[in-house]
């Protein structure tokens, strides 16, 4: 084997480009710039932690199927945890969003970080919504029969039928969680690649781009 | 180094200052523990809502006249679903704006004929009784003008509809088989059989509740229960929850448009609200690229509080 | 009202909600509480001193 053959490998090229873009000490840095000194920075991580708790409690609810929680006090308790983890998730995400907006954290080639964050927000809203219509109780009956009008008016109702419990449940427990996790992964990797956005220059603006 | 002018809302200055130890894994672990404990605490203190689902049985038992009136509207094609249009049928105008008519373009994908799907097919699935069989064959072999004459006669008298002795009664003799059909469907509903018939029309297994939900949504019963819980569309209901729990508060802007004209009054209100939200959502996603919008944080100056130590150290 | 028995909530929220109305605005006390808490959390996060930042000068 020649070295050029190794160099031309898809495998070695992928490894090199990954390591070049995201070397281990950027992926898991042990220091941060000194300006990273505010509680506002913890809300991204808090959002991730809440997403984790949402998924774990959702997995417990999945074990015995979608209507278990109506008849089991343990099930109801797990459902309560799932609901409150979702509330914390959105809560933390909104504070995170306000924080990132206040810092204009899209500067310096970080616009895709903002964009993936915003798309994750939308995916999360859809995940929450499909969860609400998958509750198999009065709430889900009402929300589904109401929400159909909005979605139908866009034409989307032809394919995305909110009255179809099976379809909504699949979206809620398979497709949208995957979307939320993948998007979050991309989002955080982008943050790591670029590093945390530096403060606005206060005195002069002759600094390099 | 680029020679392009520095754009403060797009470009970031290069940071040449000090770094400090920061343990992100420890931070993440603490976050998971704190969130998990908070979740358990909130679940213990506040629990979660679970208002029992209503059924067609509970509806027709609690409000038989409302049910029978709704059944009539499904049979004569005057119900909300019968006149809905796409994606269920061609019974009504689709929503749109100018040349934008996506509902119309995509057409009927979930075909619903309220008379056959909600009334006649379920009745035909019932064990035959002489009077029901006779009524069904009278209806099925009649011309549509005869059917209309019957339902009109029934409907004209239906303001005086009563339910007593387990029977739906309407003072008319000109309604042909309609009184028997409506009464039979009401009996069927009160026995619970209609719940089953509506979901199982396509075979043994089902995970699709489109038909029973649409039928429920045509009656007044479901909407009255929801309004009492402040869940109506004109009550900002989308962000509310049964009981006193917080709801999907993040839908505040979406539900907001439904409260004010022209969105709240337009026949294409849903479409206009969605269109508005899509534009606003695009703006939100694209903030970093929109001049003016992306300068707001620099003008707001909240960043000075966040980075106050950094700026203090620069002095 | 509710069907589940839960592990009996300490604070029972299973009553009709309280709503504040002002012109066309109508909001449940619960949602308002959540929103106010969000703003409070944001403001506290802005102003609360961040710990452990004494040795930051120098170390690069
Ligand atoms: C599932 C939802 C989300 C998760 C789990 C998440 C997580 C994170 C994490 C862990 C960070 C790095 C640490 C930090 O600065 O807080 C971060 C940074 C960032 N997030 Fe999010 N985020 C989410 C949603 C959003 C949303 C909705 C937006 C805005 C639309 C957003 C915009 C940003 C930006 C611009 C940064 C870069 C910060 C910088 O470079 O200083 N994120 N996110």
């Amino acid at each position: 084997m020649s070295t050029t053959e190794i160099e031309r490998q898809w495998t070695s090229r992928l490894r090199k480009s990954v390591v070049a873009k995201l070397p281990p000490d950027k992926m898991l840095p042990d220091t941060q710039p000194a300006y990273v000194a505010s509680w506002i920075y913890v809300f991204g991580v808090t959002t991730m932690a809440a997403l984790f708790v949402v998924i774990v409690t959702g997995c417990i609810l999945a074990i015995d199927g979608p209507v278990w929680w109506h008849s089991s006090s343990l099930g109801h308790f797990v459902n309560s945890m799932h609901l409150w983890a979702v509330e914390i998730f959105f809560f933390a995400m909104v504070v995170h969003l306000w924080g990132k907006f206040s810092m204009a954290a899209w500067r310096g080639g970080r616009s895709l970080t903002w964009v993936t964050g915003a798309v994750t927000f939308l995916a999360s809203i859809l995940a929450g919504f499909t969860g609400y219509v998958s509750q198999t109780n009065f709430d889900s009956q009402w929300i589904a029969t109401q929400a159909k009008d909005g979605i139908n008016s866009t034409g989307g109702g032809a394919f995305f039928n909110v009255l179809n419990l099976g379809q909504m449940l699949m979206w809620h427990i398979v497709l949208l969680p995957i979307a939320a996790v993948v998007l979050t992964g991309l989002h955080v990797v982008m943050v790591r690649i670029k590093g945390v956005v530096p403060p606005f220059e206060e005195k002069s603006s002759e600094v390099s781009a | 180094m680029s020679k392009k002018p520095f754009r403060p809302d797009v470009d970031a200055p290069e940071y040449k200052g000090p770094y400090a130890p920061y343990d992100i894994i420890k931070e993440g672990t603490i976050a998971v523990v704190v969130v998990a404990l908070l979740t358990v605490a909130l679940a213990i203190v506040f629990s979660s809502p679970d208002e029992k689902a209503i059924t067609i049985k509970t509806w027709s038992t609690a409000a038989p006249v409302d049910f029978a009136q709704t059944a009539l509207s499904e049979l004569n094609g005057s119900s909300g679903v019968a006149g809905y249009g796409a994606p269920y049928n061609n019974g009504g105008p689709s929503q749109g704006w100018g040349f934008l008519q996506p509902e119309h373009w995509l057409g009927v994908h979930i075909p619903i004929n309220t008379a056959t799907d909600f009334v006649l097919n379920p009745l035909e699935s019932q064990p035959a009784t002489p009077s029901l069989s006779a009524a069904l064959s009278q209806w099925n072999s009649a011309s549509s003008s005869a059917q209309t004459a019957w339902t009109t006669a029934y409907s004209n008298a239906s303001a005086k509809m009563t339910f007593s002795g387990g029977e739906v009664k309407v003072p008319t003799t000109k309604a042909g088989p309609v009184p028997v059909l409506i009464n039979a469907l009401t009996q069927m509903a009160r026995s619970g059989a209609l719940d089953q018939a509506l979901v199982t029309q396509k075979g043994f297994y089902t995970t699709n509740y489109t038909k029973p939900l649409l039928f429920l949504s045509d009656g007044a019963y479901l909407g009255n229960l929801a309004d009492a819980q402040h869940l109506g569309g004109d009550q900002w209901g989308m962000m509310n929850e049964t009981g006193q729990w917080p709801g999907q508060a993040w839908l505040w802007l979406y539900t907001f448009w439904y409260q004010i004209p022209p969105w709240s009054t337009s026949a294409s209100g849903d479409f206009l609200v969605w269109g508005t939200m899509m534009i606003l959502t695009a703006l939100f996603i694209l903030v970093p690229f929109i001049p003016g919008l992306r300068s707001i944080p620099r003008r707001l100056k909240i960043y000075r509080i966040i980075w106050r130590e950094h700026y203090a150290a620069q002095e | 009202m509710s069907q589940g028995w839960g592990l009996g909530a300490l604070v029972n929220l299973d009553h009709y909600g309280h709503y504040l109305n002002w012109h066309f605005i109508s909001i449940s006390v619960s949602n308002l509480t959540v929103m106010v808490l969000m703003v409070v959390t944001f403001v506290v996060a802005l102003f609360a001193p961040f710990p452990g930042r004494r040795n930051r000068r120098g170390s690069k």
Side-chain angles (χ1 to χ4, degrees), chain A residues 35-36 39-51 89 92-94 96-101 103-107 110-122 124 180-181 183-185 187-188 190-192 194-198, chain B residues 22 24 27 284-285 288 307:
Chain A
Y35 56 78
V36 181
W39 283 103
I40 210 71
Y41 285 102
V42 307
F43 285 91
V45 181
T46 308
T47 314
M48 264 169 89
L51 181 60
F89 171 71
M93 184 161 43
V94 170
H96 173 64
L97 189 164
W98 290 344
K100 294 302 142 186
F101 182 79
M103 295 186 250
W106 53 76
R107 290 172 297 130
R110 292 171 180 81
S111 38
L112 266 186
T113 312
W114 174 272
V115 170
T116 49
V119 174
T120 314
F121 188 50
L122 297 183
S124 310
V181 169
L183 283 165
T184 302
H187 182 71
V188 175
M190 281 179 206
V191 178
R192 291 278 69 97
K194 289 281 176 181
V196 180
V197 73
Chain B
Y22 197 112
I24 56 173
E27 182 191 27
F284 166 57
I285 295 174
W307 290 315

Side-chain angles (χ1 to χ4, degrees), chain A residues 194-208:
Chain A
K194 289 281 176 181
V196 180
V197 73
F200 282 107
E201 192 69 28
E202 278 286 71
K203 291 185 194 116
S204 55
S205 56
E206 89 290 43
V207 195
S208 70

Side-chain angles (χ1 to χ4, degrees), chain A residues 103-181:
Chain A
M103 295 186 250
W106 53 76
R107 290 172 297 130
R110 292 171 180 81
S111 38
L112 266 186
T113 312
W114 174 272
V115 170
T116 49
V119 174
T120 314
F121 188 50
L122 297 183
S124 310
I125 288 178
L126 207 56
F129 168 76
T130 51
Y132 274 90
V133 293
S134 299
Q135 287 175 96
T136 61
N137 61 12
F138 174 77
D139 210 30
S140 58
Q141 290 179 307
W142 176 249
I143 293 173
T145 52
Q146 287 293 294
K148 74 177 194 306
D149 298 333
I151 292 165
N152 287 341
S153 77
T154 67
F159 309 100
F160 191 79
N161 180 5
V162 298
L163 306 174
N164 183 340
L165 173 68
Q167 187 187 13
M168 290 304 108
L169 189 62
M170 291 295 191
W171 277 77
H172 181 65
I173 69 175
V174 182
L175 302 176
L176 290 166
I178 291 176
V181 169

